[in-house]
Amino acid sequence: MDYKKIIGYINGENEIDTSIVRKAIEYANNGADSLFIYNYTRDEVSREEFLKTMKMVAKECELPFIIGLFVERFEDIKKALYTGADRVVVKQALIKDDKVLIEAIDRFGNDKIMMEIDSIGDFKNYNYTQYLKEIGIYGVLLKHVTISDKLKKNMLKADMPIIIRDSLIRNDLMELMTLENVEGVATNYFEGKDIMKAKRVLHDNKVTVNVFESTLKFSDFKKNSDGMVPVITQDYKTGEVLMLAYMTEEAFQKTLETGKMTYYSRSRKELWCKGETSGHFQYVKHLMIDCDSDTILAKVKQIGAACHTGNRTCFFTDLAKYEYDAVNPLNVFNDVFNVIMDRKMHPKEGSYTNYLFDKGIDKILKKCGEEATEIVIAAKNPDSEELKYEIADFMYHMMVLMAECGLDWEDVTKELAHRR
């Protein structure tokens, strides 16, 4: 479903990298739909540092983000998109040659570049916005907007997605969000504030926004004798079971309203927002009900520890165990990668992994090439067992390469997720 977005914006020109990452995570936790982070400096060294910071944002924050960047050549756009950004915003006033944009659009598609227009006068120029569409610009980002009938008419004529950048000092969010063709509002007004609350108000006023809405009423659930439903909570990325607690109807509604897991404490006989005292909040990603409608499964982003003992999960005590091989692909890849990283950080004598690290990137690349060739040879053999071993050898060497180059599995899986 298409919905109007509240986009947190961050001016990266005068911010240190850790501050940008912290603000990005804060926006994500507070309910923003995406981010617009910009740094239009012409200094190449500063630009490279900014792009490094954007890679940190992609790693630490699950929100999609758009980068505003000074662009001189195709390579600038390529580097920006390779950080993990959804789109690149270029300033109309700073673009010297549209050929750079056209080259990037041909390479990456016509949904990857937006034009920031400094002057509303340019936006009124119908021929200019048509030209942007013709060369493949996805949409425009407008700032310094003053709402008028003429502006509304021009937006309608432009017939392309529009993001309005506004600090909400002169304009009202409700009006901006209901303007024709407006995809979202990028604002810093909600920095450090509860964006879910604002989205609830918009939703109540019939604006289509991304809020939690249950497909079933709480009255449709099968409750226990106390009128509650048990909730199993797990990490949304790993599937790790974190805890079990209970919800009343009020706790369920509060969870939907705030996007933070809220339970009912049977011992204290009161509502309990997980993390309110510890800071270990659980941000909702997905709520599901089982086949009997008597148990809720919550997939969450867990901050810190889920258990009051300080353990990540409440389920840390073994009762009985039968030895088995854990073959969940993500867990296996992460486990092997973690061993490789441990060798890199704490070298062990006689370790083949340390031998590769000591020899350096050229040796690692040579081994990756050799193992890739072995896969090709094995694939021509009807015996799939040999191919299995060669693929495993290649993946091990590939993980050594990842570790050498500062990548991990989350970097790779995020990139693959973008391609689905």
Side-chain angles (χ1 to χ4, degrees), residues 10 15 17-27 57 191:
I10 302 170
E15 290 278 3
D17 54 3
T18 52
S19 177
I20 292 173
V21 174
R22 177 185 56 76
K23 287 182 180 183
I25 294 171
E26 192 174 73
Y27 272 127
V57 170
E191 187 178 313

Side-chain angles (χ1 to χ4, degrees), residues 36-254:
F36 171 51
I37 310 175
Y38 64 92
N39 184 339
Y40 291 112
T41 178
R42 295 170 184 259
D43 175 60
E44 190 154 357
V45 174
S46 299
R47 194 156 68 235
E48 290 296 324
E49 286 299 317
F50 175 65
L51 292 175
K52 283 182 184 176
T53 303
M54 293 303 93
K55 289 179 182 178
M56 292 168 61
V57 170
K59 199 175 187 68
E60 300 295 332
C61 176
E62 69 272 15
L63 278 186
F65 62 94
I66 304 167
I67 290 178
L69 193 73
F70 174 66
V71 170
E72 281 186 297
R73 52 193 182 274
F74 166 79
E75 198 71 17
D76 295 325
I77 294 175
K78 184 175 85 168
K79 285 181 179 179
L81 291 173
Y82 280 6
T83 64
D86 272 17
R87 296 192 183 100
V88 178
V89 175
V90 296
K91 265 191 174 184
Q92 181 262 335
L94 298 179
I95 284 293
K96 295 176 181 176
D97 189 350
D98 288 350
K99 289 179 182 176
V100 172
L101 304 181
I102 294 168
E103 183 183 358
I105 290 164
D106 286 343
R107 169 67 175 80
F108 298 109
N110 60 3
D111 63 339
K112 292 298 183 183
I113 298 177
M114 300 187 74
M115 183 72 77
E116 179 177 310
I117 298 177
D118 288 319
S119 167
I120 295 300
D122 287 324
F123 184 64
K124 290 175 184 174
N125 184 338
Y126 175 72
N127 290 333
Y128 180 64
T129 53
Q130 290 308 297
Y131 167 71
L132 294 179
K133 285 176 67 177
E134 285 169 13
I135 66 172
I137 297 292
Y138 170 78
V140 296
L141 185 144
L142 292 181
K143 61 179 185 177
H144 307 312
V145 167
T146 300
I147 304 301
S148 66
D149 289 339
K150 195 167 186 179
L151 178 67
K152 293 176 184 178
K153 189 184 293 184
N154 288 330
M155 285 182 165
L156 188 59
K157 280 171 65 178
D159 190 29
M160 62 195 312
I162 296 166
I163 291 176
I164 295 176
R165 196 186 112 192
D166 198 285
S167 293
L168 303 182
I169 296 171
R170 293 175 302 177
N171 295 305
D172 178 67
L173 178 64
M174 185 82 67
E175 185 172 19
L176 293 178
M177 290 286 258
T178 52
L179 292 174
E180 203 73 40
N181 296 333
V182 169
E183 188 177 88
V185 174
T187 181
N188 62 352
Y189 177 80
F190 293 107
E191 187 178 313
K193 297 176 185 174
D194 186 352
I195 298 173
M196 290 300 293
K197 196 175 286 186
K199 287 163 79 171
R200 276 285 162 199
V201 174
L202 290 167
H203 177 264
D204 292 344
N205 282 274
K206 311 302 181 190
V207 179
T208 305
V209 288
N210 188 20
V211 293
F212 291 105
E213 290 186 277
S214 178
T215 56
L216 295 176
K217 296 177 182 176
F218 193 82
S219 56
D220 295 326
F221 301 158
K222 293 179 185 174
K223 277 78 73 177
N224 64 15
S225 57
D226 296 321
M228 291 183 274
V229 176
V231 183
I232 299 167
T233 305
Q234 66 177 167
D235 185 282
Y236 82 108
K237 283 185 180 178
T238 66
E240 180 183 27
V241 177
L242 300 171
M243 58 182 282
L244 181 142
Y246 290 83
M247 277 185 181
T248 58
E249 181 171 5
E250 188 181 1
F252 180 67
Q253 294 303 332
K254 199 72 176 172

